[in-house]
Structures are given as structure tokens and as C-alpha cells.
Amino acid sequence: MDISSLKQQFTAELAAAASEAELRALRDKYLARKGGLVSALLKHVASAPADVRPALGRQANELKQHIDAQVGERLAEASARRPAADAVDVTLPGRDPLIGHRHPLTLLRDRIESFFLRQGFLIVEGPELEDDYHNFEALNMPAEHPARDMQDTLYLASPVTSATGTPATLLRTHTSGMQVRYMERYPPPVRLIAPGRVYRRDNLDLTHTPMFTQVEGLVVGDDVTLADLKGTLVAFAHDLFGPDRGTRFRPSFFPYTEPSAELDITCASCGGSGCAMCKQTGWVEVLGSGMVHPAVFEAVGYDPERYTGFAFGVGIERLALLKWGVEDIRLFYENDLRFLEQFPL
Ligand code: DAH
């Protein structure tokens, strides 16, 4: 093949070469010391007749330089176009930053507080380290009272001074002691909720944690009735679980209320027909409540002949299990983000 058609062939192949790899292969094809087309041509020149040898040699060398320069130029262009390893590709879709949110139990507590604030309730808080008097005795549970066994208590090895300045001997088993603490200090009327942590000597299982959260409620006035209790708590249940849920009050027993009742709602899993979730009853328990026992009023110096009131206590974790259909209470304390992220604001 003559030199000018070799050059033409190269020009066409250069135009077709798209990638850096193709450009390098093209250079090898022509210039590789072994087997390159131009290299072979140069060897040929040595055996050409003496009169044409110098001209042939010059042309072949020019072609060699031409190919080297052309491929070199294209390679330089290609490498200038290639993005640097750390370059930002602004055409890629953005990545959302991870934004935290409040824990589901906090969300639920806020929701409960907001309901009762709208009903004119006050929110009060009190000590988790408590004394026997406020946790039991003033709630109509004197020493040796069998109702103390309803809750397995965690006692302190030795008394410590609580936030209130009095010696505490136990971790409160419920928030009901806040009824006593508030009434001791303030006269009627009363309309409060007292949210907070409580502790019991329970082993961890699907429905128990040794620490959990309750909201206590107390309403006292001149003529507070059972109808007020029912109206308030049914409205609360409907606010939280939706107005279509069935509700019922079932007689119960608590030493600090008489009469006492537990509030049930229809089971969300079966809609009331009975299933494993509700032990075939169609109902699930939501909270305990009742009319304040006269003995409690006497303990705090309220006149039981003049005042009446209702009280209730509800577990936030229990509400969370019911509301969101969660089957294991421990999930709320394991802080696995894959779980916690399922409860948006
Ligand atoms: N203290 C009870 C508990 O921890 C809940 C409770 C029931 C509170 C009835 C009340 C009440 O104020 O009237 O299970």
C-alpha cells in the first residue's frame, strides 16, 4: 500500500475512534514497533532502490509524526473531557438529609396533653423517687393492704432525699401519687393531668417493661359526677382512636376510687367480633378510672361531704401498642431507627 492511501485510511479510522481505548489501539495499529503498519513501511524503505529511498524515507517519517501528533491531540481532548474522580455531577438527583423527629412515645404524650389542655386541664409533674405515703397510704392503701400487691414495687436500699425534700423509699409504681401531692397544696377546684415515668418490678416481655409512662388525671369540684368521667374519657378515646370506635365502661376495683371502672374500646384487629388480640372478647382495655374515694379526700384535707371528683390513669405505651398495632412494647425502647422512623409527625 502506498503512503498516501495509508494516510487516508488512518484519517478515516481516527475520525471513527470514539474512546481513549480506541485511540490508543489505533496508535498501536500504525506505530507499534512490532507489527505496526508504519513501522513495517519504514523497514521496507531500507530495501527500496537508492534513487527513491530518501524521499520515501522522509514521507514515511512524516506520516509517523502525523499519526503520533493527531492521536496525541485527540487523547488530550478526551482526557480533558473526563470528569475528575472527585467532580460533582450536578445532574444527579439530590440526597435528602436525614432529619430526626420526636420519639413515638413523646408524640403520643404531646397528643394526649394537647387534648386535655383543650379541655382546660393543667399539666403537673412530680418526683419519680417517691415515699410510701404518697404512692400508697394516702391513696387508701395502708401498710399490709392487699392492693399493694397489684403493683410489684421497686424499693430503694436506703431512703434518699427526693426532689420535694422528703425522704423517698421507692420508685413510684404509678402517677396516682400526684393526685395527693397536688391536693395537699392547692384547694379545689382541680382539673389536672400528671404525665411521667413509673417503675415496676416486671420482667421484660411483649407487654411489660420495668419502666413505662403514665398519665394521671384528676378532676375535683362541687358537683363532679360519673357522667363527667364518662363524657371526658369517651371524648379522649375518640380523639385518640377515632370517633367510630365503640367504648364501654366495665366495673373494676382500685382502692382510691369508688365506684371504679375500666374503659374498653372495640378491638381494632377484628372490629369487635373477637380475635387473638382481644382474647376473643372484641374489646381491649384502655385505662383505669373511678370516682375519687372519700378516704383520699380526707387524707388531703378536702371535705368529702362537699366535694366529688373523678380520676383516671392511662399507660402511654399501652395506648401506643393499641393505636399503632405494635405487638412488642420493647421496640419503643430499643431505639432502632428503622422502627422509630415509621412514626412521622
Ligand atoms: N394507678 C392505676 C394503675 O397504675 C391506674 C388508675 C386507675 C389511676 C384508676 C386512677 C384511677 O387515677 O382512678 O394501674
Side-chain angles (χ1 to χ4, degrees), residues 107-123 191 193 232 235-241:
L107 295 175
L108 197 49
R109 174 174 165 168
D110 285 354
R111 170 90 186 254
I112 295 165
E113 290 183 354
S114 117
F115 172 83
F116 283 106
L117 282 173
R118 293 200 300 278
Q119 311 282 329
F121 283 62
L122 190 70
I123 300 173
R191 194 184 290 178
I193 57 166
T232 304
F236 170 62
H238 283 161
D239 179 68
L240 204 56
F241 295 103

Side-chain angles (χ1 to χ4, degrees), residues 174-202:
H174 54 184
T175 45
S176 301
M178 284 308 295
Q179 295 184 30
V180 180
R181 288 196 172 275
Y182 187 87
M183 289 190 286
E184 277 174 339
R185 290 184 60 178
Y186 303 100
V190 177
R191 194 184 290 178
L192 67 80
I193 57 166
R197 286 185 176 143
V198 300
Y199 302 83
R200 287 185 201 175
R201 217 175 129 172
D202 279 326

